[in-house]
Amino acid sequence: MNAVANSKVYIAKRLEVGLDPSNMPNHIAVIMDGNGRWAKKQGFMTRVRGHEVGVEALRRITTACAELGLGYLTVYAFSTENWNRPKAEVDGLMNILMNALEKELPVLQKNNVRLNAIGNIDSLPAKANKKLISVINATSSNDGLTLTLALSYGSQDEMVQAIRKVAKQVAAGDLSPESITEEHIEQHLFTAGMPHPDLLVRTSGEQRISNYLLWQLAYAEFYFTPVLWPDFDAEGLYEAIATFQKRERRFGQTSEQLTVK
Ligand code: FPP
């Protein structure tokens, strides 16, 4: 399908689900929270079952974003702090990651999704890291949605790494402290080259950002839902986008300034 035909399909889908096709978020960031509580509520002995079912929710949401023709979906899959969870849960999550990468590759290809990762992916177990890179490479020429997995990711750590790189340029005499701009920091973040998220969705009722994309969420709209991640579905996503569409994004300006063209 060519780009024009594609965009007609996306507009039809946006209208079909009751969204304003001209006011879509280009980038949605998600904190997929509540897997452990979901497993407990369902009577499962292990929290890992919640993460397994969480993969199905991730597939649903990725497919829904691709069908709407969105540009970017970035999900918090494993934080730097998550390494401190019990070993059984960390091992379980790494296995889930490996299996999901194996199983979901055909789905990503079918939906023209490009896989990407941010975070300290070198600290993942070697097999998981290798599998991740192979799926990133296999989907690199897809030009639909970019699905970014934040893995071994922490935003403060990301900023420290970026600042260290800028400091090295200063120490080498290539940059003066006075000439440091936001762009210098930006280009050393894991997300360099990506647009900032327009909308942050967090499931499970918690209302915090937990060291996620602190720099990049500067002007994002926040949407919190009590639904636990394994239960989150396309309808929930449409509701989040509909709420986003009702917000007035002022980027520090006044309402009046926004209406003056
Ligand atoms: C938070 O729920 C969720 C995580 C720490 C992991 C998210 C992972 C998935 C959704 C699986 C898909 C991910 C991969 C690796 C492809 P929680 O465990 O903190 O839940 P709780 O707050 O109810 O305890």
Side-chain angles (χ1 to χ4, degrees):
M1 218 181 325
N2 65 33
V4 177
N6 248 339
S7 74
K8 280 192 178 158
V9 172
Y10 298 147
I11 288 170
K13 183 70 194 181
R14 293 170 189 182
L15 289 169
E16 181 199 316
V17 301
L19 294 171
D20 172 358
S22 65
N23 183 22
M24 300 294 288
N26 178 39
H27 184 173
I28 300 184
V30 181
I31 301 180
M32 309 182 287
D33 197 11
N35 296 348
R37 274 164 285 170
W38 183 92
K40 195 171 174 196
K41 217 172 107 189
Q42 301 289 322
F44 290 108
M45 302 294 284
T46 154
R47 296 168 47 82
V48 173
R49 183 70 194 130
H51 300 313
E52 281 168 1
V53 180
V55 174
E56 291 167 28
L58 179 54
R59 185 191 313 123
R60 283 197 296 273
I61 299 309
T62 304
T63 304
C65 288
E67 283 173 359
L68 290 169
L70 304 191
Y72 297 83
L73 172 66
T74 301
V75 298
Y76 209 0
F78 194 85
S79 72
T80 43
E81 291 75 25
N82 287 154
W83 290 114
N84 300 323
R85 290 196 174 192
K87 186 177 180 308
E89 184 169 346
V90 172
D91 290 350
L93 271 162
M94 292 303 141
N95 279 331
I96 288 169
L97 172 64
M98 291 271 296
N99 293 338
L101 288 167
E102 184 82 42
K103 197 168 151 214
E104 303 300 326
L105 178 60
V107 186
L108 297 175
Q109 301 291 34
K110 179 171 165 274
N111 290 319
N112 191 23
V113 176
R114 185 171 74 92
L115 189 74
N116 178 38
I118 55 172
N120 299 304
I121 61 166
D122 290 348
S123 60
L124 297 174
K127 269 166 83 176
N129 183 41
K130 199 170 156 214
K131 187 81 216 159
L132 176 65
I133 290 169
S134 82
V135 177
I136 288 174
N137 290 337
T139 59
S140 63
S141 57
N142 290 345
D143 59 1
L145 178 80
T146 296
L147 168 65
T148 300
L149 302 179
L151 286 163
S152 193
Y153 174 86
S155 187
Q156 291 178 337
D157 163 65
E158 174 186 40
M159 285 195 259
V160 168
Q161 292 191 42
I163 290 164
R164 273 193 199 130
K165 286 178 186 154
V166 176
K168 278 186 184 157
Q169 291 176 278
V170 173
D174 296 334
L175 194 63
S176 72
E178 294 72 28
S179 58
I180 297 173
T181 62
E182 289 165 16
E183 282 69 35
H184 287 107
I185 307 287
E186 183 89 44
Q187 71 195 27
H188 293 298
L189 297 175
F190 291 124
T191 52
M194 283 166 69
H196 287 180
D198 305 293
L199 169 63
L200 170 78
V201 174
R202 182 171 189 150
T203 57
S204 92
E206 307 297 345
Q207 302 194 1
R208 54 178 175 265
I209 51 175
S210 303
N211 203 12
Y212 190 46
L213 301 172
L214 302 179
W215 174 282
Q216 298 87 341
L217 290 170
Y219 285 103
E221 295 295 328
F222 286 15
Y223 177 84
F224 300 106
T225 170
V227 176
L228 302 175
W229 176 252
D231 290 330
F232 197 63
D233 60 11
E235 289 305 319
L237 176 78
Y238 304 150
E239 208 175 303
I241 298 174
T243 304
F244 166 87
Q245 294 188 328
K246 289 190 202 110
R247 305 256 177 97
E248 181 187 61
R249 303 186 76 197
R250 294 204 293 271
F251 300 97
Q253 293 189 291
T254 65
S255 265
E256 292 71 26
Q257 282 175 301
L258 294 176
T259 49
V260 176
K261 288 271 152 71

